[in-house]
Coordinates of all heavy atoms in Angstrom, one line a residue:
M1 N 21.1 -19.7 11.6 CA 19.8 -19.3 11.1 C 19.9 -17.9 10.6 O 20.4 -17.0 11.2 CB 18.8 -19.3 12.3 CG 17.4 -19.0 11.9 SD 16.3 -19.4 13.2 CE 15.9 -17.7 13.8
E2 N 19.4 -17.7 9.4 CA 19.4 -16.4 8.7 C 18.2 -15.6 9.2 O 17.1 -16.1 9.4 CB 19.4 -16.5 7.2 CG 20.7 -17.1 6.7 CD 20.6 -17.1 5.2 OE1 20.0 -16.2 4.6 OE2 21.3 -18.0 4.6
H3 N 18.4 -14.3 9.3 CA 17.2 -13.4 9.7 C 17.2 -12.3 8.6 O 18.1 -11.6 8.4 CB 17.5 -12.9 11.1 CG 16.4 -11.9 11.5 ND1 15.1 -12.4 11.7 CD2 16.4 -10.6 11.7 CE1 14.4 -11.3 12.1 NE2 15.1 -10.2 12.1
D4 N 16.0 -12.1 8.0 CA 15.8 -11.1 7.1 C 15.5 -9.8 7.8 O 14.4 -9.7 8.4 CB 14.7 -11.5 6.1 CG 14.4 -10.4 5.0 OD1 15.3 -9.6 4.8 OD2 13.3 -10.5 4.4
V5 N 16.4 -8.8 7.7 CA 16.1 -7.6 8.4 C 15.6 -6.5 7.4 O 15.4 -5.3 7.8 CB 17.4 -7.1 9.1 CG1 17.8 -8.0 10.2 CG2 18.6 -6.9 8.1
S6 N 15.4 -6.8 6.2 CA 15.0 -5.8 5.2 C 13.7 -5.1 5.6 O 13.5 -3.9 5.5 CB 14.9 -6.4 3.8 OG 13.9 -7.4 3.8
N7 N 12.7 -5.9 6.1 CA 11.4 -5.3 6.5 C 11.6 -4.5 7.8 O 11.0 -3.5 8.0 CB 10.4 -6.3 6.7 CG 9.8 -6.8 5.4 OD1 10.0 -6.1 4.4 ND2 9.2 -8.0 5.4
S8 N 12.5 -4.9 8.7 CA 12.6 -4.2 10.0 C 13.3 -2.9 9.8 O 13.2 -2.0 10.7 CB 13.3 -5.1 11.0 OG 14.6 -5.4 10.6
L9 N 14.1 -2.8 8.8 CA 14.9 -1.6 8.5 C 14.2 -0.6 7.6 O 14.6 0.5 7.4 CB 16.3 -1.9 8.0 CG 17.2 -2.7 8.9 CD1 18.5 -3.0 8.2 CD2 17.4 -1.9 10.2
R10 N 13.0 -1.0 7.0 CA 12.3 -0.2 6.1 C 11.7 1.0 6.8 O 11.1 0.9 7.8 CB 11.2 -1.0 5.5 CG 10.4 -0.3 4.4 CD 9.5 -1.3 3.7 NE 8.1 -1.2 4.0 CZ 7.3 -0.2 4.0 NH1 7.7 1.0 3.7 NH2 6.0 -0.3 4.3
T11 N 11.9 2.2 6.2 CA 11.3 3.4 6.8 C 10.1 3.8 6.0 O 10.2 3.7 4.7 CB 12.4 4.5 6.8 OG1 12.8 4.8 5.5 CG2 13.5 4.2 7.7
L12 N 9.1 4.2 6.6 CA 7.9 4.7 6.0 C 8.1 6.1 5.4 O 8.9 6.9 6.0 CB 6.7 4.7 6.9 CG 6.3 3.3 7.4 CD1 5.2 3.5 8.5 CD2 5.8 2.5 6.3
P13 N 7.4 6.4 4.3 CA 7.5 7.8 3.8 C 6.9 8.8 4.9 O 6.2 8.4 5.8 CB 6.6 7.8 2.6 CG 6.4 6.4 2.3 CD 6.6 5.6 3.5
I14 N 7.3 10.0 4.8 CA 6.8 11.0 5.7 C 5.3 11.2 5.5 O 4.8 11.3 4.4 CB 7.5 12.3 5.5 CG1 9.0 12.2 5.8 CG2 6.9 13.5 6.3 CD1 9.8 13.4 5.4
L15 N 4.6 11.3 6.6 CA 3.1 11.6 6.5 C 3.0 13.1 6.1 O 3.7 13.9 6.5 CB 2.5 11.5 7.9 CG 2.0 10.1 8.2 CD1 1.5 10.1 9.7 CD2 0.8 9.7 7.4
R16 N 2.1 13.3 5.1 CA 1.9 14.6 4.6 C 0.5 15.1 4.9 O -0.4 14.3 5.1 CB 2.1 14.6 3.1 CG 3.5 14.1 2.7 CD 3.7 13.6 1.3 NE 2.9 14.2 0.3 CZ 2.7 13.6 -0.9 NH1 3.2 12.5 -1.3 NH2 2.0 14.3 -1.8
R17 N 0.4 16.4 5.0 CA -0.9 17.0 5.4 C -1.5 17.7 4.2 O -0.8 18.5 3.5 CB -0.7 18.0 6.5 CG -2.0 18.5 7.1 CD -1.8 19.2 8.4 NE -2.9 20.0 8.9 CZ -3.9 19.5 9.6 NH1 -3.9 18.3 10.0 NH2 -4.9 20.3 10.0
F18 N -2.8 17.5 3.9 CA -3.4 18.1 2.7 C -4.7 18.8 3.1 O -5.3 18.5 4.1 CB -3.8 17.0 1.7 CG -2.7 16.1 1.2 CD1 -2.3 15.0 1.8 CD2 -2.1 16.5 0.0 CE1 -1.2 14.2 1.3 CE2 -1.0 15.8 -0.5 CZ -0.6 14.6 0.2
R19 N -5.0 19.9 2.4 CA -6.2 20.6 2.5 C -7.1 20.3 1.3 O -6.6 20.5 0.2 CB -6.0 22.1 2.7 CG -7.3 22.9 2.8 CD -7.0 24.3 3.1 NE -6.4 25.0 2.0 CZ -6.6 26.2 1.6 NH1 -7.4 27.0 2.3 NH2 -6.0 26.7 0.5
V20 N -8.3 19.9 1.5 CA -9.2 19.7 0.4 C -10.4 20.7 0.5 O -11.0 20.8 1.6 CB -9.8 18.3 0.4 CG1 -10.7 18.0 -0.8 CG2 -8.6 17.2 0.4
R21 N -10.7 21.4 -0.5 CA -11.8 22.4 -0.5 C -13.0 21.6 -1.0 O -13.1 21.2 -2.1 CB -11.5 23.6 -1.4 CG -12.6 24.6 -1.6 CD -13.0 25.4 -0.4 NE -11.9 26.0 0.3 CZ -11.3 27.2 0.1 NH1 -11.8 28.0 -0.8 NH2 -10.4 27.6 0.9
V22 N -14.0 21.4 -0.1 CA -15.2 20.6 -0.3 C -16.3 21.5 -0.6 O -16.4 22.6 0.0 CB -15.5 19.7 0.9 CG1 -16.8 18.9 0.7 CG2 -14.3 18.7 1.1
I23 N -17.2 21.1 -1.5 CA -18.4 21.9 -1.8 C -19.6 20.9 -1.5 O -19.6 19.8 -1.9 CB -18.5 22.4 -3.2 CG1 -19.8 23.2 -3.4 CG2 -18.4 21.2 -4.2 CD1 -19.8 23.9 -4.8
E24 N -20.5 21.5 -0.7 CA -21.7 20.7 -0.3 C -22.9 21.7 -0.1 O -22.8 22.7 0.6 CB -21.4 20.0 1.0 CG -22.5 19.1 1.5 CD -22.2 18.3 2.7 OE1 -21.2 18.6 3.4 OE2 -23.0 17.4 3.1
D25 N -23.9 21.4 -0.8 CA -25.1 22.3 -0.8 C -24.8 23.7 -1.0 O -25.3 24.6 -0.4 CB -25.8 22.1 0.6 CG -26.4 20.7 0.8 OD1 -26.7 20.0 -0.2 OD2 -26.4 20.3 2.0
G26 N -23.9 24.0 -2.0 CA -23.6 25.3 -2.3 C -22.6 26.0 -1.4 O -22.3 27.2 -1.6
C27 N -22.2 25.4 -0.3 CA -21.2 25.9 0.7 C -19.9 25.3 0.5 O -19.8 24.1 0.2 CB -21.7 25.7 2.1 SG -23.3 26.6 2.4
Y28 N -18.8 26.1 0.7 CA -17.5 25.6 0.6 C -16.9 25.5 2.0 O -17.1 26.4 2.9 CB -16.6 26.5 -0.2 CG -17.0 26.6 -1.6 CD1 -17.9 27.6 -2.1 CD2 -16.4 25.7 -2.6 CE1 -18.2 27.7 -3.4 CE2 -16.8 25.8 -3.9 CZ -17.7 26.8 -4.3 OH -18.0 26.9 -5.6
Y29 N -16.1 24.4 2.3 CA -15.4 24.3 3.6 C -14.1 23.5 3.3 O -14.0 22.8 2.3 CB -16.2 23.8 4.7 CG -16.8 22.4 4.5 CD1 -16.1 21.3 4.9 CD2 -18.0 22.2 3.8 CE1 -16.7 20.0 4.7 CE2 -18.5 21.0 3.6 CZ -17.8 19.9 4.1 OH -18.4 18.6 3.9
D30 N -13.2 23.6 4.2 CA -11.9 22.9 4.1 C -11.9 21.6 5.0 O -12.3 21.7 6.1 CB -10.7 23.8 4.5 CG -10.5 24.9 3.5 OD1 -10.9 24.8 2.3 OD2 -9.9 25.9 3.9
V31 N -11.3 20.6 4.4 CA -11.1 19.3 5.2 C -9.6 19.1 5.2 O -9.0 19.2 4.1 CB -11.9 18.1 4.5 CG1 -11.6 16.8 5.2 CG2 -13.4 18.4 4.6
F32 N -9.1 18.7 6.3 CA -7.7 18.4 6.4 C -7.4 16.9 6.5 O -8.1 16.3 7.3 CB -7.0 19.2 7.6 CG -7.1 20.6 7.4 CD1 -8.2 21.4 7.9 CD2 -6.1 21.3 6.7 CE1 -8.3 22.7 7.7 CE2 -6.2 22.7 6.5 CZ -7.3 23.4 7.0
V33 N -6.5 16.4 5.7 CA -6.3 14.9 5.7 C -4.8 14.7 5.9 O -3.9 15.4 5.3 CB -6.7 14.3 4.3 CG1 -6.4 12.8 4.3 CG2 -8.2 14.6 4.1
T34 N -4.4 13.7 6.7 CA -3.0 13.3 6.9 C -2.8 12.0 6.3 O -3.5 11.0 6.7 CB -2.6 13.3 8.4 OG1 -2.9 14.6 8.9 CG2 -1.1 13.0 8.5
A35 N -1.9 11.9 5.3 CA -1.8 10.6 4.6 C -0.3 10.5 4.0 O 0.3 11.5 3.9 CB -2.8 10.5 3.5
H36 N 0.1 9.3 3.6 CA 1.3 9.1 2.9 C 1.2 9.4 1.4 O 2.1 9.9 0.8 CB 1.8 7.7 3.1 CG 2.3 7.4 4.5 ND1 1.6 6.6 5.4 CD2 3.4 7.8 5.2 CE1 2.2 6.5 6.5 NE2 3.3 7.3 6.5
L37 N 0.0 8.9 0.9 CA -0.2 9.0 -0.6 C -1.5 9.6 -0.9 O -2.5 9.5 -0.2 CB -0.2 7.5 -1.1 CG 0.9 6.6 -0.8 CD1 0.6 5.2 -1.1 CD2 2.2 7.0 -1.5
V38 N -1.5 10.3 -2.1 CA -2.8 10.8 -2.6 C -2.9 10.4 -4.1 O -1.9 10.5 -4.8 CB -2.9 12.3 -2.5 CG1 -1.8 13.0 -3.2 CG2 -4.3 12.8 -3.0
F39 N -4.0 9.9 -4.5 CA -4.3 9.5 -5.9 C -5.4 10.4 -6.4 O -6.5 10.4 -5.9 CB -4.7 8.1 -6.0 CG -3.6 7.1 -5.5 CD1 -3.7 6.6 -4.3 CD2 -2.6 6.8 -6.3 CE1 -2.7 5.7 -3.8 CE2 -1.6 5.9 -5.9 CZ -1.7 5.4 -4.6
N40 N -5.0 11.2 -7.4 CA -6.0 12.1 -8.0 C -6.5 11.5 -9.3 O -5.8 11.6 -10.4 CB -5.4 13.5 -8.4 CG -6.4 14.5 -8.9 OD1 -7.5 14.1 -9.2 ND2 -5.9 15.7 -9.1
N41 N -7.6 10.8 -9.2 CA -8.2 10.1 -10.4 C -9.4 10.8 -10.9 O -10.3 10.2 -11.4 CB -8.6 8.7 -10.0 CG -7.3 7.9 -9.5 OD1 -6.3 8.0 -10.1 ND2 -7.5 7.0 -8.5
N42 N -9.5 12.1 -10.6 CA -10.6 12.9 -11.0 C -10.9 12.9 -12.5 O -12.0 12.9 -13.0 CB -10.5 14.4 -10.5 CG -11.8 15.1 -10.4 OD1 -12.8 14.5 -10.0 ND2 -11.7 16.4 -10.7
D43 N -9.8 12.9 -13.3 CA -9.9 12.9 -14.7 C -10.5 11.5 -15.2 O -11.1 11.5 -16.3 CB -8.6 13.1 -15.4 CG -7.5 12.2 -15.0 OD1 -7.6 11.6 -13.9 OD2 -6.5 12.1 -15.8
R44 N -10.5 10.5 -14.4 CA -11.1 9.2 -14.8 C -12.4 9.0 -14.1 O -13.0 8.0 -14.2 CB -10.2 8.1 -14.4 CG -8.9 8.1 -15.1 CD -8.1 6.8 -14.9 NE -8.2 6.2 -13.6 CZ -7.3 5.5 -13.0 NH1 -6.2 5.2 -13.6 NH2 -7.5 5.0 -11.8
G45 N -12.9 10.1 -13.4 CA -14.2 10.0 -12.8 C -14.2 9.3 -11.5 O -15.2 8.9 -11.0
E46 N -13.0 9.2 -10.8 CA -12.9 8.5 -9.6 C -12.6 9.4 -8.4 O -12.6 8.9 -7.3 CB -11.8 7.4 -9.7 CG -12.1 6.3 -10.7 CD -11.0 5.4 -10.9 OE1 -10.1 5.3 -10.1 OE2 -11.1 4.6 -11.9
G47 N -12.3 10.6 -8.6 CA -12.1 11.5 -7.5 C -10.7 11.4 -6.8 O -9.8 11.0 -7.5
L48 N -10.6 11.8 -5.6 CA -9.4 11.8 -4.8 C -9.4 10.6 -3.8 O -10.5 10.4 -3.1 CB -9.2 13.1 -4.0 CG -8.9 14.3 -4.7 CD1 -8.9 15.5 -3.7 CD2 -7.5 14.2 -5.3
V49 N -8.3 9.9 -3.6 CA -8.2 8.9 -2.6 C -6.9 9.1 -1.9 O -5.8 9.3 -2.5 CB -8.2 7.5 -3.3 CG1 -8.0 6.4 -2.2 CG2 -9.4 7.2 -4.0
F50 N -7.0 9.2 -0.5 CA -5.9 9.4 0.3 C -5.6 8.1 1.1 O -6.5 7.5 1.6 CB -6.1 10.5 1.4 CG -6.2 11.9 0.7 CD1 -7.4 12.3 0.3 CD2 -5.1 12.7 0.6 CE1 -7.5 13.6 -0.3 CE2 -5.2 13.9 0.0 CZ -6.4 14.4 -0.4
R51 N -4.3 7.6 1.1 CA -4.0 6.4 1.7 C -2.8 6.5 2.7 O -2.0 7.4 2.5 CB -3.7 5.3 0.7 CG -4.8 5.1 -0.3 CD -4.6 3.9 -1.2 NE -4.7 2.6 -0.4 CZ -5.8 2.0 -0.2 NH1 -7.0 2.5 -0.6 NH2 -5.8 0.8 0.4
R52 N -2.8 5.7 3.7 CA -1.8 5.7 4.7 C -1.2 4.3 4.9 O -2.0 3.3 4.9 CB -2.4 6.2 6.1 CG -1.3 6.4 7.1 CD -2.0 6.9 8.4 NE -2.7 8.1 8.2 CZ -3.5 8.7 9.1 NH1 -3.8 8.1 10.2 NH2 -4.1 9.8 8.8
Y53 N 0.1 4.2 5.0 CA 0.7 2.9 5.2 C 0.4 2.4 6.6 O 0.3 3.2 7.6 CB 2.2 2.9 5.1 CG 2.7 3.0 3.7 CD1 3.1 4.2 3.1 CD2 2.7 1.9 2.9 CE1 3.6 4.3 1.8 CE2 3.2 1.9 1.6 CZ 3.6 3.1 1.1 OH 4.0 3.2 -0.2
Y54 N 0.2 1.1 6.8 CA 0.1 0.5 8.1 C 1.5 0.7 8.8 O 2.5 0.9 8.1 CB -0.2 -1.0 8.0 CG -1.6 -1.3 7.6 CD1 -1.9 -1.9 6.4 CD2 -2.7 -1.0 8.4 CE1 -3.2 -2.1 6.0 CE2 -4.0 -1.3 8.1 CZ -4.2 -1.9 6.8 OH -5.5 -2.1 6.4
D55 N 1.6 0.6 10.1 CA 2.8 0.8 10.8 C 4.0 0.1 10.3 O 5.1 0.7 10.2 CB 2.6 0.5 12.3 CG 1.7 1.5 12.9 OD1 1.5 2.6 12.4 OD2 1.1 1.2 14.0
D56 N 3.9 -1.2 10.0 CA 5.1 -1.9 9.7 C 4.9 -2.8 8.4 O 5.3 -3.9 8.4 CB 5.5 -2.8 10.9 CG 4.4 -3.8 11.3 OD1 3.3 -3.7 10.8 OD2 4.7 -4.7 12.1
S57 N 4.2 -2.2 7.5 CA 3.8 -3.0 6.3 C 3.9 -2.3 5.1 O 4.1 -1.0 5.1 CB 2.3 -3.5 6.5 OG 1.9 -4.2 5.4
V58 N 3.9 -3.0 4.0 CA 3.8 -2.3 2.6 C 2.4 -2.1 2.2 O 2.1 -1.5 1.2 CB 4.5 -3.1 1.6 CG1 6.0 -3.2 1.9 CG2 4.0 -4.5 1.4
K59 N 1.4 -2.6 3.0 CA 0.0 -2.4 2.7 C -0.5 -1.0 3.2 O 0.1 -0.4 4.1 CB -0.8 -3.5 3.5 CG -0.5 -4.9 3.0 CD -1.4 -5.9 3.7 CE -1.1 -7.3 3.3 NZ -1.8 -8.3 4.1
T60 N -1.5 -0.5 2.5 CA -2.0 0.8 2.9 C -3.5 0.7 3.2 O -4.2 -0.3 2.8 CB -1.9 1.8 1.7 OG1 -2.6 1.3 0.6 CG2 -0.4 2.0 1.4
E61 N -4.0 1.7 3.9 CA -5.4 1.8 4.2 C -5.9 3.1 3.7 O -5.2 4.1 3.7 CB -5.7 1.6 5.7 CG -5.1 2.7 6.5 CD -5.3 2.6 8.0 OE1 -6.4 2.0 8.4 OE2 -4.5 3.0 8.8
K62 N -7.2 3.1 3.2 CA -7.8 4.3 2.7 C -8.2 5.1 4.0 O -8.9 4.6 4.9 CB -9.0 4.0 1.9 CG -9.7 5.2 1.2 CD -10.9 4.8 0.5 CE -10.8 3.8 -0.5 NZ -12.0 3.5 -1.2
V63 N -7.8 6.4 4.0 CA -8.2 7.3 5.1 C -9.2 8.3 4.7 O -9.9 8.9 5.6 CB -6.9 7.9 5.8 CG1 -6.1 6.9 6.5 CG2 -6.1 8.7 4.8
A64 N -9.3 8.6 3.4 CA -10.3 9.6 3.0 C -10.5 9.4 1.5 O -9.6 9.0 0.8 CB -9.9 11.0 3.3
E65 N -11.7 9.7 1.0 CA -12.1 9.7 -0.4 C -13.1 10.8 -0.7 O -14.0 11.0 0.1 CB -12.6 8.3 -0.7 CG -13.0 8.1 -2.2 CD -13.4 6.7 -2.5 OE1 -13.7 5.9 -1.6 OE2 -13.5 6.4 -3.7
F66 N -12.9 11.4 -1.8 CA -13.8 12.5 -2.2 C -14.2 12.2 -3.7 O -13.4 12.1 -4.5 CB -13.1 13.9 -2.2 CG -12.6 14.2 -0.8 CD1 -11.3 13.9 -0.3 CD2 -13.5 14.9 0.1 CE1 -10.9 14.2 0.9 CE2 -13.1 15.2 1.4 CZ -11.8 14.8 1.8
Q67 N -15.5 12.1 -3.9 CA -16.0 11.8 -5.2 C -15.9 13.0 -6.1 O -15.9 14.1 -5.6 CB -17.5 11.3 -5.0 CG -17.6 10.1 -4.2 CD -16.9 8.9 -4.8 OE1 -16.9 8.7 -6.1 NE2 -16.3 8.1 -4.0
P68 N -15.9 12.8 -7.4 CA -15.9 13.9 -8.4 C -17.1 14.8 -8.1 O -18.2 14.3 -7.9 CB -16.0 13.2 -9.7 CG -15.5 11.8 -9.5 CD -15.9 11.5 -8.1
G69 N -16.8 16.1 -8.2 CA -17.9 17.1 -8.1 C -18.1 17.5 -6.6 O -18.9 18.4 -6.4
T70 N -17.4 16.8 -5.7 CA -17.6 17.2 -4.2 C -16.5 18.0 -3.7 O -16.5 18.4 -2.6 CB -17.8 15.9 -3.4 OG1 -16.5 15.1 -3.4 CG2 -18.9 15.1 -3.8
F71 N -15.5 18.3 -4.5 CA -14.4 19.1 -4.1 C -13.9 20.0 -5.3 O -14.2 19.7 -6.4 CB -13.2 18.3 -3.6 CG -12.6 17.4 -4.7 CD1 -11.4 17.9 -5.4 CD2 -13.1 16.2 -5.0 CE1 -10.9 17.1 -6.4 CE2 -12.5 15.4 -6.0 CZ -11.4 15.9 -6.7
T72 N -13.3 21.2 -5.0 CA -12.9 22.1 -6.0 C -11.4 22.0 -6.2 O -10.9 22.1 -7.3 CB -13.3 23.5 -5.7 OG1 -12.7 23.9 -4.4 CG2 -14.8 23.7 -5.6
F73 N -10.6 21.7 -5.1 CA -9.1 21.6 -5.3 C -8.6 20.9 -4.0 O -9.3 20.8 -3.0 CB -8.4 22.9 -5.6 CG -8.3 23.8 -4.4 CD1 -7.2 23.8 -3.5 CD2 -9.3 24.7 -4.1 CE1 -7.2 24.6 -2.4 CE2 -9.3 25.6 -3.0 CZ -8.2 25.5 -2.2
Y74 N -7.3 20.5 -4.1 CA -6.6 20.1 -3.0 C -5.2 20.6 -3.1 O -4.7 20.9 -4.2 CB -6.6 18.6 -2.8 CG -5.7 17.8 -3.7 CD1 -4.5 17.3 -3.2 CD2 -6.1 17.5 -5.0 CE1 -3.6 16.7 -4.1 CE2 -5.2 16.9 -5.9 CZ -4.0 16.4 -5.4 OH -3.1 15.8 -6.2
E75 N -4.5 20.7 -1.9 CA -3.1 21.1 -1.9 C -2.4 20.5 -0.7 O -3.0 20.3 0.3 CB -3.0 22.6 -1.9 CG -3.6 23.3 -0.6 CD -3.5 24.8 -0.6 OE1 -2.9 25.4 -1.5 OE2 -4.0 25.4 0.3
E76 N -1.1 20.3 -0.9 CA -0.3 19.9 0.3 C 0.1 21.1 1.1 O 0.4 22.1 0.5 CB 0.9 19.2 -0.2 CG 1.7 18.6 0.9 CD 2.9 17.7 0.4 OE1 3.1 17.5 -0.8 OE2 3.6 17.2 1.3
I77 N 0.0 20.9 2.4 CA 0.3 22.0 3.3 C 1.7 21.8 3.8 O 2.0 20.7 4.4 CB -0.7 22.1 4.5 CG1 -2.1 22.3 3.9 CG2 -0.3 23.2 5.5 CD1 -3.1 22.2 5.0
N78 N 2.6 22.7 3.6 CA 4.0 22.6 4.1 C 3.9 23.1 5.6 O 3.5 24.2 5.9 CB 4.9 23.5 3.3 CG 5.0 22.9 1.9 OD1 5.0 21.7 1.7 ND2 5.2 23.9 1.0
Q79 N 4.5 22.2 6.4 CA 4.5 22.6 7.8 C 5.8 23.2 8.3 O 6.8 23.0 7.9 CB 4.2 21.3 8.7 CG 2.8 20.8 8.3 CD 2.4 19.6 9.2 OE1 3.0 19.3 10.2 NE2 1.5 18.8 8.7

């Protein structure tokens, strides 16, 4: 019997930490997000989307989303 080990040997990308500067009611504050992926679709009017892989899957889940106009910048934080 053959056993496919490709999925069991797959390693996930490193979780990365990001800081997002949020603006709300004229006040600025920082939000910290830990995710594998970030999609900056602000130029298309979709904002920022942060996603994390499930433990043993190629599927991802959304962990945070910021709509256009609700943040001023984001950056990856080197630990």
